[in-house]
Amino acid sequence: MAKFLVQNGAPLYGVVQISGAKNAVLPEMASAILTKEKCKISDVPNLIDVKVMKEILVSLGGSINQIEENVLEINMEELSKHEASYEHTSKMRASFLLMGPLLARAGYAKVYMPGGCTIGERPIGLHLKGFEALGAEIIAKENYIEATAPENGLKGAAIYLDFPSVGATENIMMAAVLANGTTYIENAAQEPEIVDLANFMNKMGAKIKGAGTDTIKIEGVKSLHGAAHNVIPDRIETATFMLAAAITRGEVMIKNVVPDHVKPITAKLRECGVTVEITEEGLYVNAKERKLIATDLKTLPYPGFPTDIQSPFMSFLTTVEGSSTVIETVFENRFMHVAELNRMGANIKTEGNRAIVQGGKKLEGSSVIATDLRAGAAMVLAGLVASGTTEVSQIYHVERGYEKFVEKFRALGANILRIED
């Protein structure tokens, strides 16, 4: 098993280029199932999750060509299977996004229960509720779900989501684009990745309006055609490097960003005393020789503070003076990193969905675990300012979501190594 070895070093300094968004490219790859024509997707990050999605699409009968670095050509003309195997789906949560496009194109889908990070239940009931509203018959077994469309195809419907789930919004959108009639998704997720998926499918000939708002309108069309698309920059990677500059009291220019996508992180860092400026080059973050102070935060669906940045931001809060309150409202299991930070000398107490961080503590290197993807990044950030060596294990979580993680940090001056145990 591979590990990261992280040591305290100088403040991070330099320029970093952000990769395409993992949480945008995975549903976009799945949506290529909706057409028999070739699709070209650019700015595709080289990640384990992307590799798994490629394997799934090939197993369904598709072909994928890497026509240049970070550019994929996907051809799903031959759709010989309508079932995503347990071997693949057990590796990542996003595999369930295959159900919508398979159901829309083939009228049938069988998908095994997905895996991924253990940060909460993340129930798929909202997905299934949407498919049923479109007319699909659902058969739920212990470890897989089958969905079958009526003989005359899916039919547009008005669907209200009890929670603005990103995955459910994406899956229902993909199912509805080929349905008969018009579909409305109310209380829809508003994340930038939703907008990017809608933009891609509209290029393919879909008729989607309102993506990025709480109501999405989808007029069904007979068929979709091929298209070319550039994936948006990864806002979670952007925020991670913003926090890397802040926690090390460094100075970093972050390129290939959409500043609007990281507004909550920008606002909270400014509250703490960090300089964050939007420039023509990108996002400039400067925490050099700053006296930084605590702040409170509460995770919320977009455009609120993202749950994916809660753990890295908590690492930062352990290093600033004062007491901070962190409230997690999205995932019930997302404080597993607290025990790891406390092992490094942090003073964090949790009660239910609330964590109290007593900042200004001197962190010490320790052996810690990446309990999930973003918690792994949080451990690395803490290791950058801890005395001694921090050994982070179970880093396969991190490599599921960050492209060239070690290389990018080392280019900024971080003392981090990836070793095979």
Side-chain angles (χ1 to χ4, degrees), residues 351-378:
E351 184 176 336
N353 70 337
R354 182 186 303 263
I356 307 298
V357 184
Q358 300 296 338
K361 302 300 178 184
K362 179 66 176 174
L363 300 181
E364 298 178 0
S366 182
S367 294
V368 294
I369 296 170
T371 54
D372 63 68
L373 196 167
R374 308 306 174 182

PDB file of all heavy atoms in Angstrom, residues 351-378:
ATOM      1  N   GLU A 351     -19.797  17.070  18.813  1.00  0.00           N
ATOM      2  CA  GLU A 351     -21.072  16.682  19.409  1.00  0.00           C
ATOM      3  C   GLU A 351     -22.108  16.700  18.301  1.00  0.00           C
ATOM      4  O   GLU A 351     -22.477  17.762  17.801  1.00  0.00           O
ATOM      5  CB  GLU A 351     -21.475  17.636  20.536  1.00  0.00           C
ATOM      6  CG  GLU A 351     -22.753  17.197  21.238  1.00  0.00           C
ATOM      7  CD  GLU A 351     -23.104  18.093  22.421  1.00  0.00           C
ATOM      8  OE1 GLU A 351     -22.196  18.736  22.977  1.00  0.00           O
ATOM      9  OE2 GLU A 351     -24.289  18.145  22.759  1.00  0.00           O
ATOM     10  N   GLY A 352     -22.527  15.497  17.881  1.00  0.00           N
ATOM     11  CA  GLY A 352     -23.466  15.415  16.759  1.00  0.00           C
ATOM     12  C   GLY A 352     -22.813  15.942  15.495  1.00  0.00           C
ATOM     13  O   GLY A 352     -21.732  15.500  15.102  1.00  0.00           O
ATOM     14  N   ASN A 353     -23.465  16.933  14.869  1.00  0.00           N
ATOM     15  CA  ASN A 353     -22.946  17.480  13.614  1.00  0.00           C
ATOM     16  C   ASN A 353     -22.146  18.758  13.834  1.00  0.00           C
ATOM     17  O   ASN A 353     -21.931  19.528  12.900  1.00  0.00           O
ATOM     18  CB  ASN A 353     -24.097  17.752  12.638  1.00  0.00           C
ATOM     19  CG  ASN A 353     -24.979  18.920  13.082  1.00  0.00           C
ATOM     20  OD1 ASN A 353     -25.015  19.252  14.272  1.00  0.00           O
ATOM     21  ND2 ASN A 353     -25.675  19.521  12.146  1.00  0.00           N
ATOM     22  N   ARG A 354     -21.688  18.968  15.065  1.00  0.00           N
ATOM     23  CA  ARG A 354     -20.960  20.197  15.410  1.00  0.00           C
ATOM     24  C   ARG A 354     -19.574  19.855  15.931  1.00  0.00           C
ATOM     25  O   ARG A 354     -19.417  18.937  16.742  1.00  0.00           O
ATOM     26  CB  ARG A 354     -21.756  20.964  16.466  1.00  0.00           C
ATOM     27  CG  ARG A 354     -21.164  22.309  16.903  1.00  0.00           C
ATOM     28  CD  ARG A 354     -21.983  22.881  18.054  1.00  0.00           C
ATOM     29  NE  ARG A 354     -23.382  23.023  17.665  1.00  0.00           N
ATOM     30  CZ  ARG A 354     -23.925  24.153  17.223  1.00  0.00           C
ATOM     31  NH1 ARG A 354     -23.180  25.242  17.131  1.00  0.00           N
ATOM     32  NH2 ARG A 354     -25.200  24.204  16.899  1.00  0.00           N
ATOM     33  N   ALA A 355     -18.577  20.595  15.467  1.00  0.00           N
ATOM     34  CA  ALA A 355     -17.209  20.445  15.968  1.00  0.00           C
ATOM     35  C   ALA A 355     -16.717  21.794  16.470  1.00  0.00           C
ATOM     36  O   ALA A 355     -16.923  22.827  15.812  1.00  0.00           O
ATOM     37  CB  ALA A 355     -16.282  19.926  14.872  1.00  0.00           C
ATOM     38  N   ILE A 356     -16.090  21.780  17.627  1.00  0.00           N
ATOM     39  CA  ILE A 356     -15.482  22.991  18.190  1.00  0.00           C
ATOM     40  C   ILE A 356     -13.968  22.846  18.077  1.00  0.00           C
ATOM     41  O   ILE A 356     -13.382  21.899  18.610  1.00  0.00           O
ATOM     42  CB  ILE A 356     -15.875  23.201  19.662  1.00  0.00           C
ATOM     43  CG1 ILE A 356     -17.397  23.163  19.835  1.00  0.00           C
ATOM     44  CG2 ILE A 356     -15.293  24.523  20.181  1.00  0.00           C
ATOM     45  CD1 ILE A 356     -18.130  24.255  19.095  1.00  0.00           C
ATOM     46  N   VAL A 357     -13.351  23.770  17.358  1.00  0.00           N
ATOM     47  CA  VAL A 357     -11.908  23.734  17.112  1.00  0.00           C
ATOM     48  C   VAL A 357     -11.239  24.820  17.943  1.00  0.00           C
ATOM     49  O   VAL A 357     -11.512  26.016  17.744  1.00  0.00           O
ATOM     50  CB  VAL A 357     -11.583  23.953  15.620  1.00  0.00           C
ATOM     51  CG1 VAL A 357     -10.079  23.806  15.370  1.00  0.00           C
ATOM     52  CG2 VAL A 357     -12.372  22.996  14.740  1.00  0.00           C
ATOM     53  N   GLN A 358     -10.391  24.426  18.900  1.00  0.00           N
ATOM     54  CA  GLN A 358      -9.575  25.392  19.641  1.00  0.00           C
ATOM     55  C   GLN A 358      -8.268  25.555  18.875  1.00  0.00           C
ATOM     56  O   GLN A 358      -7.439  24.657  18.856  1.00  0.00           O
ATOM     57  CB  GLN A 358      -9.314  24.892  21.071  1.00  0.00           C
ATOM     58  CG  GLN A 358     -10.566  24.673  21.900  1.00  0.00           C
ATOM     59  CD  GLN A 358     -11.357  25.945  22.156  1.00  0.00           C
ATOM     60  OE1 GLN A 358     -10.825  27.055  22.077  1.00  0.00           O
ATOM     61  NE2 GLN A 358     -12.644  25.800  22.451  1.00  0.00           N
ATOM     62  N   GLY A 359      -8.147  26.685  18.201  1.00  0.00           N
ATOM     63  CA  GLY A 359      -7.030  26.883  17.286  1.00  0.00           C
ATOM     64  C   GLY A 359      -5.741  27.288  17.973  1.00  0.00           C
ATOM     65  O   GLY A 359      -5.660  27.398  19.194  1.00  0.00           O
ATOM     66  N   GLY A 360      -4.724  27.507  17.158  1.00  0.00           N
ATOM     67  CA  GLY A 360      -3.433  27.956  17.656  1.00  0.00           C
ATOM     68  C   GLY A 360      -2.587  26.852  18.256  1.00  0.00           C
ATOM     69  O   GLY A 360      -1.605  27.130  18.958  1.00  0.00           O
ATOM     70  N   LYS A 361      -2.948  25.589  18.009  1.00  0.00           N
ATOM     71  CA  LYS A 361      -2.191  24.475  18.569  1.00  0.00           C
ATOM     72  C   LYS A 361      -0.994  24.126  17.671  1.00  0.00           C
ATOM     73  O   LYS A 361      -1.060  24.251  16.461  1.00  0.00           O
ATOM     74  CB  LYS A 361      -3.088  23.245  18.724  1.00  0.00           C
ATOM     75  CG  LYS A 361      -4.307  23.472  19.601  1.00  0.00           C
ATOM     76  CD  LYS A 361      -3.929  23.876  21.006  1.00  0.00           C
ATOM     77  CE  LYS A 361      -5.153  24.139  21.853  1.00  0.00           C
ATOM     78  NZ  LYS A 361      -4.801  24.628  23.208  1.00  0.00           N
ATOM     79  N   LYS A 362       0.079  23.686  18.306  1.00  0.00           N
ATOM     80  CA  LYS A 362       1.245  23.231  17.565  1.00  0.00           C
ATOM     81  C   LYS A 362       1.031  21.774  17.179  1.00  0.00           C
ATOM     82  O   LYS A 362       0.945  20.889  18.042  1.00  0.00           O
ATOM     83  CB  LYS A 362       2.505  23.368  18.432  1.00  0.00           C
ATOM     84  CG  LYS A 362       3.786  22.898  17.746  1.00  0.00           C
ATOM     85  CD  LYS A 362       4.139  23.769  16.559  1.00  0.00           C
ATOM     86  CE  LYS A 362       5.469  23.331  15.961  1.00  0.00           C
ATOM     87  NZ  LYS A 362       5.774  24.072  14.710  1.00  0.00           N
ATOM     88  N   LEU A 363       0.925  21.518  15.887  1.00  0.00           N
ATOM     89  CA  LEU A 363       0.693  20.151  15.432  1.00  0.00           C
ATOM     90  C   LEU A 363       1.998  19.374  15.392  1.00  0.00           C
ATOM     91  O   LEU A 363       3.069  19.932  15.142  1.00  0.00           O
ATOM     92  CB  LEU A 363       0.040  20.162  14.048  1.00  0.00           C
ATOM     93  CG  LEU A 363      -1.318  20.856  13.930  1.00  0.00           C
ATOM     94  CD1 LEU A 363      -1.846  20.767  12.502  1.00  0.00           C
ATOM     95  CD2 LEU A 363      -2.327  20.261  14.913  1.00  0.00           C
ATOM     96  N   GLU A 364       1.883  18.078  15.621  1.00  0.00           N
ATOM     97  CA  GLU A 364       3.046  17.203  15.607  1.00  0.00           C
ATOM     98  C   GLU A 364       2.818  16.074  14.613  1.00  0.00           C
ATOM     99  O   GLU A 364       1.711  15.534  14.504  1.00  0.00           O
ATOM    100  CB  GLU A 364       3.283  16.606  17.009  1.00  0.00           C
ATOM    101  CG  GLU A 364       3.584  17.649  18.066  1.00  0.00           C
ATOM    102  CD  GLU A 364       3.766  17.037  19.445  1.00  0.00           C
ATOM    103  OE1 GLU A 364       3.648  15.796  19.551  1.00  0.00           O
ATOM    104  OE2 GLU A 364       4.016  17.791  20.394  1.00  0.00           O
ATOM    105  N   GLY A 365       3.870  15.720  13.904  1.00  0.00           N
ATOM    106  CA  GLY A 365       3.773  14.645  12.931  1.00  0.00           C
ATOM    107  C   GLY A 365       3.345  13.338  13.575  1.00  0.00           C
ATOM    108  O   GLY A 365       3.712  13.041  14.715  1.00  0.00           O
ATOM    109  N   SER A 366       2.558  12.560  12.842  1.00  0.00           N
ATOM    110  CA  SER A 366       2.057  11.298  13.376  1.00  0.00           C
ATOM    111  C   SER A 366       1.688  10.386  12.216  1.00  0.00           C
ATOM    112  O   SER A 366       1.707  10.805  11.054  1.00  0.00           O
ATOM    113  CB  SER A 366       0.832  11.565  14.262  1.00  0.00           C
ATOM    114  OG  SER A 366       0.343  10.374  14.826  1.00  0.00           O
ATOM    115  N   SER A 367       1.327   9.161  12.520  1.00  0.00           N
ATOM    116  CA  SER A 367       0.793   8.243  11.513  1.00  0.00           C
ATOM    117  C   SER A 367      -0.721   8.387  11.514  1.00  0.00           C
ATOM    118  O   SER A 367      -1.376   8.126  12.525  1.00  0.00           O
ATOM    119  CB  SER A 367       1.180   6.793  11.838  1.00  0.00           C
ATOM    120  OG  SER A 367       2.570   6.627  11.725  1.00  0.00           O
ATOM    121  N   VAL A 368      -1.259   8.818  10.382  1.00  0.00           N
ATOM    122  CA  VAL A 368      -2.692   9.087  10.289  1.00  0.00           C
ATOM    123  C   VAL A 368      -3.262   8.388   9.054  1.00  0.00           C
ATOM    124  O   VAL A 368      -2.527   7.927   8.185  1.00  0.00           O
ATOM    125  CB  VAL A 368      -2.991  10.603  10.236  1.00  0.00           C
ATOM    126  CG1 VAL A 368      -2.617  11.273  11.546  1.00  0.00           C
ATOM    127  CG2 VAL A 368      -2.261  11.265   9.063  1.00  0.00           C
ATOM    128  N   ILE A 369      -4.581   8.351   9.004  1.00  0.00           N
ATOM    129  CA  ILE A 369      -5.279   7.654   7.927  1.00  0.00           C
ATOM    130  C   ILE A 369      -6.101   8.641   7.119  1.00  0.00           C
ATOM    131  O   ILE A 369      -6.744   9.541   7.682  1.00  0.00           O
ATOM    132  CB  ILE A 369      -6.205   6.564   8.505  1.00  0.00           C
ATOM    133  CG1 ILE A 369      -5.384   5.491   9.223  1.00  0.00           C
ATOM    134  CG2 ILE A 369      -7.067   5.920   7.422  1.00  0.00           C
ATOM    135  CD1 ILE A 369      -6.228   4.509  10.012  1.00  0.00           C
ATOM    136  N   ALA A 370      -6.093   8.479   5.802  1.00  0.00           N
ATOM    137  CA  ALA A 370      -7.013   9.236   4.938  1.00  0.00           C
ATOM    138  C   ALA A 370      -8.355   8.520   4.986  1.00  0.00           C
ATOM    139  O   ALA A 370      -8.590   7.559   4.260  1.00  0.00           O
ATOM    140  CB  ALA A 370      -6.479   9.291   3.502  1.00  0.00           C
ATOM    141  N   THR A 371      -9.240   8.950   5.891  1.00  0.00           N
ATOM    142  CA  THR A 371     -10.508   8.250   6.087  1.00  0.00           C
ATOM    143  C   THR A 371     -11.447   8.405   4.903  1.00  0.00           C
ATOM    144  O   THR A 371     -12.368   7.613   4.723  1.00  0.00           O
ATOM    145  CB  THR A 371     -11.204   8.739   7.363  1.00  0.00           C
ATOM    146  OG1 THR A 371     -11.339  10.168   7.309  1.00  0.00           O
ATOM    147  CG2 THR A 371     -10.396   8.351   8.603  1.00  0.00           C
ATOM    148  N   ASP A 372     -11.249   9.439   4.109  1.00  0.00           N
ATOM    149  CA  ASP A 372     -11.962   9.603   2.845  1.00  0.00           C
ATOM    150  C   ASP A 372     -11.126  10.511   1.963  1.00  0.00           C
ATOM    151  O   ASP A 372     -10.051  10.965   2.360  1.00  0.00           O
ATOM    152  CB  ASP A 372     -13.397  10.144   3.034  1.00  0.00           C
ATOM    153  CG  ASP A 372     -13.440  11.542   3.648  1.00  0.00           C
ATOM    154  OD1 ASP A 372     -13.005  12.495   2.966  1.00  0.00           O
ATOM    155  OD2 ASP A 372     -13.920  11.696   4.781  1.00  0.00           O
ATOM    156  N   LEU A 373     -11.613  10.785   0.778  1.00  0.00           N
ATOM    157  CA  LEU A 373     -10.838  11.540  -0.212  1.00  0.00           C
ATOM    158  C   LEU A 373     -10.381  12.900   0.335  1.00  0.00           C
ATOM    159  O   LEU A 373      -9.186  13.229   0.343  1.00  0.00           O
ATOM    160  CB  LEU A 373     -11.700  11.728  -1.467  1.00  0.00           C
ATOM    161  CG  LEU A 373     -11.057  12.151  -2.790  1.00  0.00           C
ATOM    162  CD1 LEU A 373     -12.054  11.953  -3.921  1.00  0.00           C
ATOM    163  CD2 LEU A 373     -10.585  13.592  -2.776  1.00  0.00           C
ATOM    164  N   ARG A 374     -11.344  13.707   0.802  1.00  0.00           N
ATOM    165  CA  ARG A 374     -11.000  15.066   1.236  1.00  0.00           C
ATOM    166  C   ARG A 374     -10.300  15.074   2.587  1.00  0.00           C
ATOM    167  O   ARG A 374      -9.483  15.962   2.859  1.00  0.00           O
ATOM    168  CB  ARG A 374     -12.259  15.929   1.270  1.00  0.00           C
ATOM    169  CG  ARG A 374     -13.062  15.893  -0.026  1.00  0.00           C
ATOM    170  CD  ARG A 374     -12.239  16.248  -1.261  1.00  0.00           C
ATOM    171  NE  ARG A 374     -13.022  16.070  -2.488  1.00  0.00           N
ATOM    172  CZ  ARG A 374     -12.563  16.262  -3.714  1.00  0.00           C
ATOM    173  NH1 ARG A 374     -11.301  16.611  -3.906  1.00  0.00           N
ATOM    174  NH2 ARG A 374     -13.336  16.082  -4.775  1.00  0.00           N
ATOM    175  N   ALA A 375     -10.608  14.090   3.434  1.00  0.00           N
ATOM    176  CA  ALA A 375      -9.889  13.976   4.700  1.00  0.00           C
ATOM    177  C   ALA A 375      -8.411  13.688   4.453  1.00  0.00           C
ATOM    178  O   ALA A 375      -7.545  14.141   5.204  1.00  0.00           O
ATOM    179  CB  ALA A 375     -10.505  12.880   5.566  1.00  0.00           C
ATOM    180  N   GLY A 376      -8.120  12.939   3.384  1.00  0.00           N
ATOM    181  CA  GLY A 376      -6.731  12.688   3.034  1.00  0.00           C
ATOM    182  C   GLY A 376      -5.996  13.971   2.708  1.00  0.00           C
ATOM    183  O   GLY A 376      -4.848  14.186   3.137  1.00  0.00           O
ATOM    184  N   ALA A 377      -6.651  14.856   1.955  1.00  0.00           N
ATOM    185  CA  ALA A 377      -6.053  16.165   1.663  1.00  0.00           C
ATOM    186  C   ALA A 377      -5.863  16.955   2.953  1.00  0.00           C
ATOM    187  O   ALA A 377      -4.856  17.650   3.135  1.00  0.00           O
ATOM    188  CB  ALA A 377      -6.937  16.929   0.686  1.00  0.00           C
ATOM    189  N   ALA A 378      -6.835  16.857   3.871  1.00  0.00           N
ATOM    190  CA  ALA A 378      -6.734  17.561   5.144  1.00  0.00           C
ATOM    191  C   ALA A 378      -5.526  17.099   5.943  1.00  0.00           C
ATOM    192  O   ALA A 378      -4.833  17.905   6.579  1.00  0.00           O
ATOM    193  CB  ALA A 378      -8.016  17.349   5.960  1.00  0.00           C
TER     194      ALA A 378
END
